[in-house]
Amino acid sequence: MKRVLGIIGSPRKMGNCELTVKEIAARLPEPAELSMVRLVEKDIRPCKACYRCLMGDCPIQDDFGMVLDAIASADGVIVAAPVYLLGAHSSLQRFLDRGLQFWKRLDDLTGKPAVGVALAGVMDGEGASLLGVENFLRAMGMAVKGRAVIHAALPGEALLSEEGRAAAARLANALFSQESPPAESPSCTECGGTYFEFRGGGRVFCLLCGSGGTVSSDGEGIRLSTKPPAHSWRGPAARKAHGEWLIGMKEKYLRERERLKEVARGYAGGNFI
Ligand SMILES: Cc1cc2nc3c(=O)[nH]c(=O)nc-3n(C[C@H](O)[C@H](O)[C@H](O)COP(=O)(O)O)c2cc1C
């Protein structure tokens, strides 16, 4: 039996995120063993930017490691986060902020099937939340098999709406499907993402992978053409190379520390509240 980890990014017990995770799990074509984690209940402290995890162990003793172990040992992942002020709940980013440690777990994480949901209480209120949810999964190298925004405000509304039930059914079918998710159009030709910043003159920038390119219209619809970013950490080979680059940056810092401190010296002090 497949083991599925549901990651809940909401503080609300039995809220729309929890119910959606359970509904997706219940609709999986084959029965699965579901375990869940409520990220906000875990002691996950901010990254201290010491970079020690690149060479050894993270000095912070908290729940990050056990949550990462649970993700690594699951066969598939469902993540659901509420939209707060147009973004995905900060518990997702708080976990991601410790993600320099992902590079030591590439074999356990890369390609793991996952689906993501953002729960928005207001019509058109989702803002950048789905980008946050998808980035959460992709930052760990998971294979995003499906994603959805469900509009639901009061706890339980996600299961009352046709939109919520249909999304749960679609994501349940997609999670362990051997087929690739259908390409959305227009989408980033590098990562398949659909989140862009328009930079004038027809230029676009993919917010999910950093690819840049152009958008044009050929009469039949919009065409998007993107080139890989200057420095990528998407895709298995690029992720491994990025881990090595980070270690190189740590070594560079140790070599250049005195020169860098000299630059900073004139800016020491200041009033902090
Ligand atoms: C602090 C706060 C901020 C919110 N901001 C938004 C928002 O920007 N857009 C939106 O559509 N819904 C917003 N909501 C509504 C929730 O996203 C919505 O009720 C969701 O279903 C909650 O999921 P849950 O029941 O799993 O907690 C907000 C809720 C809270 C508590």
Side-chain angles (χ1 to χ4, degrees):
M1 189 183 285
K2 291 251 195 318
R3 285 164 307 151
V4 173
L5 181 70
I7 301 175
I8 296 160
S10 170
R12 190 148 73 167
K13 289 190 176 144
M14 293 294 279
N16 289 313
C17 292
E18 182 174 337
L19 297 175
T20 300
V21 163
K22 289 176 174 170
E23 179 70 1
I24 295 171
R27 287 175 177 256
L28 288 168
E30 306 280 334
E33 185 189 306
L34 175 69
S35 43
M36 284 169 284
V37 56
R38 257 190 255 285
L39 278 185
V40 295
E41 288 179 354
K42 295 297 171 202
D43 174 21
I44 295 174
R45 292 180 223 155
C47 173
K48 294 200 282 193
C50 68
Y51 291 85
R52 270 161 62 182
C53 62
L54 293 175
M55 315 283 207
D57 290 329
C58 174
I60 304 172
Q61 300 287 313
D62 62 4
D63 293 332
F64 175 84
M66 69 89 94
V67 176
L68 186 58
D69 283 346
I71 295 172
S73 60
D75 296 309
V77 168
I78 304 168
V79 60
V83 186
Y84 275 17
L85 284 293
L86 301 182
H89 191 277
S90 57
S91 57
L92 268 61
Q93 188 62 43
R94 202 173 170 92
F95 182 81
L96 273 198
D97 285 358
R98 301 281 295 284
L100 289 190
Q101 297 177 70
F102 299 154
W103 274 275
K104 287 189 289 196
R105 306 294 295 269
L106 288 183
D107 291 345
D108 298 331
L109 297 169
T110 302
K112 191 180 294 294
V115 292
V117 187
L119 276 300
V122 183
M123 287 315 284
D124 298 332
E126 57 264 37
S129 58
L130 199 58
L131 169 62
V133 169
E134 191 161 350
N135 185 47
F136 177 84
L137 298 171
R138 287 189 189 257
M140 284 181 265
M142 293 191 211
V144 178
K145 306 299 290 283
R147 67 218 163 124
V149 172
I150 298 173
H151 296 93
L154 307 177
E157 279 188 338
L159 300 183
L160 287 176
S161 76
E162 178 50 30
E163 179 197 40
R165 288 195 300 268
R170 176 169 61 78
L171 296 179
N173 283 323
L175 182 58
F176 292 119
S177 166
Q178 296 303 314
E179 288 168 32
S180 305
E184 291 182 46
S185 182
S187 59
C188 173
T189 44
E190 294 301 315
C191 76
T194 54
Y195 321 90
F196 293 96
E197 180 183 294
F198 292 90
R199 291 188 161 177
R203 290 179 306 125
V204 289
F205 178 78
C206 173
L207 298 173
L208 197 53
C209 79
S211 292
T214 53
V215 62
S216 58
S217 168
D218 62 1
E220 288 177 24
I222 287 186
R223 289 174 64 84
L224 209 62
S225 172
T226 42
K227 283 195 304 211
H231 180 119
S232 175
W233 57 88
R234 302 303 199 199
R239 286 162 60 74
K240 194 165 177 298
H242 181 60
E244 284 154 12
W245 177 84
L246 284 168
I247 291 170
M249 286 300 280
K250 169 121 193 172
E251 286 161 356
K252 181 180 176 193
Y253 173 70
L254 295 176
R255 279 195 313 275
E256 300 197 5
R257 189 163 38 185
E258 289 315 314
R259 194 163 69 92
L260 293 164
K261 278 190 179 157
E262 189 57 39
V263 173
R265 197 156 288 136
Y267 298 85
N271 294 322
F272 294 88
I273 59 163

